[in-house]
Amino acid sequence: MDARERELLTGMGNCYAACGADFEDTVGMVSDTRHRQPEEVKATLDRMRETYREDPEYQSLRRRLPDTFPL
């Protein structure tokens, strides 16, 4: 993972830990904070899931989020 991807997934976990919002609201808050469109954030998360699915670092960051989140 590059630094921007790591920061995005870390931000998703931090946001969820702080507020417990659902996926759409968490993406909305993270996209606002990072000055990105929600669709761009979702596309990045989708690509990361496909690319890093077996990566231990990705798995560790992913575990901070509910299984119901599609990433």
Side-chain angles (χ1 to χ4, degrees):
M1 266 186 286
D2 67 28
R4 190 169 187 207
E5 293 167 331
R6 185 177 299 106
E7 185 211 11
L8 178 64
L9 195 52
T10 299
M12 288 287 293
N14 291 345
C15 183
Y16 179 76
C19 64
D22 66 12
F23 178 72
E24 292 297 327
D25 288 338
T26 301
V27 166
M29 288 182 269
V30 169
S31 64
D32 284 346
T33 301
R34 285 158 179 74
H35 308 289
R36 297 170 70 182
Q37 294 298 313
E39 296 78 23
E40 180 187 358
V41 169
K42 289 179 189 178
T44 301
L45 292 170
D46 286 343
R47 185 182 48 73
M48 289 175 66
R49 179 185 64 235
E50 295 301 317
T51 304
Y52 303 115
R53 168 185 327 234
E54 302 300 322
D55 182 283
E57 182 182 21
Y58 173 84
Q59 292 171 355
S60 176
L61 291 170
R62 174 63 181 90
R63 278 192 293 274
R64 298 182 64 212
L65 298 159
D67 292 338
T68 58
F69 277 28
L71 43 113

